[in-house]
Amino acid sequence: MEVRREKKHACGTICLKYLLFLFNVLFWLAGGAVLAVGVWTLVEKSDYISLLSSSFYATSAYILIAAGVIVIVTGIIGCCATLNEMKSLLIVYLILLLCIFLLEIIAGVLAYINYQELDEELKQNLKVTMQQKYQQPGEESITQAVDKLHQEFKCCGSHNFSDWSDSVWIQTAENERLVPDSCCKTPGELCGRRDHPSNIYRVEGGCIMKLEEFLLSQLYILGAVGIGIAFLQLLGMMFTCCLYRNLKEDPY
């Protein structure tokens, strides 16, 4: 009877070990995905940082990178604790999972609050930034960001193409353009002299609306990834508690 009970415990422990190991592999992959998104955000979309007065966008990317690294390290600790059946390391792993879970909740709330502020900031500052800083000395990053914004989102101006009529650069005597060349559907030297809908992104809408949609879609993606990781963490914490209890009861 005692032998049967020991075999039952051993079988349960082995099953839990493999379940927790599988969880850690998934958790490690999720951490890699978060890290990749953070790096992609910083590398591919870094031009837009210069259009924002706050550091929210850059900070978000760095937080994602840090979170990805922490999740990967936590997953490695979980694998070591599981395979070696180290109860002390399992406790460390459980605490790390709990801390990450709580940080995700806090980060989610802060991201929602900051998005509202960022949305207001975009509406207030993007038009002024375009009109006052585009093609001005020392503002190369702004110029590059605006040109990329026009082409990537197929838009012209903050609210519409007419915003450029008040631009410092457009109003200079030697400038023959009505809009920047990057507003053109097929960009070319001095193509901005014609503001006909066949030539520029005139009827497609302003860039601020497109940028808002992009930022919101990024927030939804991050939210979905966060919920997925949080669900995995709850499973991981449950498996960890069960394995710890079984190891404690197991005479071997």
Side-chain angles (χ1 to χ4, degrees), residues 7-232:
K7 285 183 177 179
K8 187 178 178 181
H9 278 306
C11 183
T13 301
I14 291 170
C15 288
L16 282 170
K17 277 179 64 176
Y18 282 111
L19 280 172
L20 193 54
F21 181 77
L22 177 62
F23 159 79
N24 279 302
V25 171
L26 293 173
F27 195 55
W28 189 84
L29 290 173
V34 170
L35 178 62
V37 169
V39 172
W40 173 80
T41 300
L42 203 59
V43 173
E44 291 295 320
K45 305 299 178 182
S46 59
D47 290 333
Y48 300 141
I49 294 173
S50 58
L51 297 176
L52 307 171
S53 60
S54 76
S55 58
F56 171 75
Y57 197 86
T59 303
S60 299
Y62 287 120
I63 288 173
L64 282 175
I65 292 171
V69 171
I70 292 170
V71 168
I72 289 172
V73 171
T74 302
I76 293 172
I77 291 173
C79 287
C80 294
T82 304
L83 294 176
N84 296 316
E85 298 185 6
M86 298 171 64
K87 290 184 286 184
S88 58
L89 205 54
L90 277 175
I91 293 174
V92 173
Y93 176 62
L94 182 62
I95 291 171
L96 283 172
L97 281 180
L98 184 60
C99 288
I100 295 172
F101 183 74
L102 293 174
L103 285 172
E104 281 177 345
I105 295 173
I106 295 169
V109 173
L110 290 176
Y112 177 78
I113 294 171
N114 282 322
Y115 172 75
Q116 305 301 318
E117 294 176 0
L118 185 63
D119 191 41
E120 258 327 292
E121 179 194 320
L122 275 175
K123 291 175 181 175
Q124 292 174 7
N125 298 336
L126 187 59
K127 182 178 179 180
V128 175
T129 299
M130 285 182 168
Q131 292 176 339
Q132 300 296 324
K133 297 183 178 182
Y134 184 79
Q135 289 288 8
Q136 297 305 299
E139 301 292 354
E140 289 77 13
S141 61
I142 295 287
T143 301
Q144 184 179 354
V146 171
D147 287 339
K148 185 175 180 179
L149 191 65
H150 282 158
Q151 285 298 302
E152 188 167 331
F153 292 106
K154 302 185 187 305
C155 57
C156 184
S158 177
H159 295 91
N160 54 61
F161 80 100
S162 64
D163 291 337
W164 287 109
S165 61
D166 295 322
S167 166
V168 173
W169 176 66
I170 293 291
Q171 290 177 349
T172 55
E174 66 273 10
N175 194 1
E176 303 174 28
R177 298 172 180 84
L178 297 174
V179 294
D181 293 336
S182 57
C183 280
C184 299
K185 294 179 179 179
T186 306
E189 187 66 26
L190 296 176
C191 68
R193 288 182 296 183
R194 291 180 61 246
D195 59 1
H196 192 272
S198 63
N199 184 50
I200 68 168
Y201 296 114
R202 180 167 174 166
V203 297
E204 283 79 3
C207 293
I208 191 167
M209 183 179 66
K210 303 283 183 71
L211 194 54
E212 282 176 343
E213 289 172 357
F214 166 74
L215 291 173
L216 193 58
S217 68
Q218 292 295 100
L219 196 63
Y220 285 148
I221 291 170
L222 293 180
V225 171
I227 290 170
I229 293 177
F231 177 71
L232 282 176

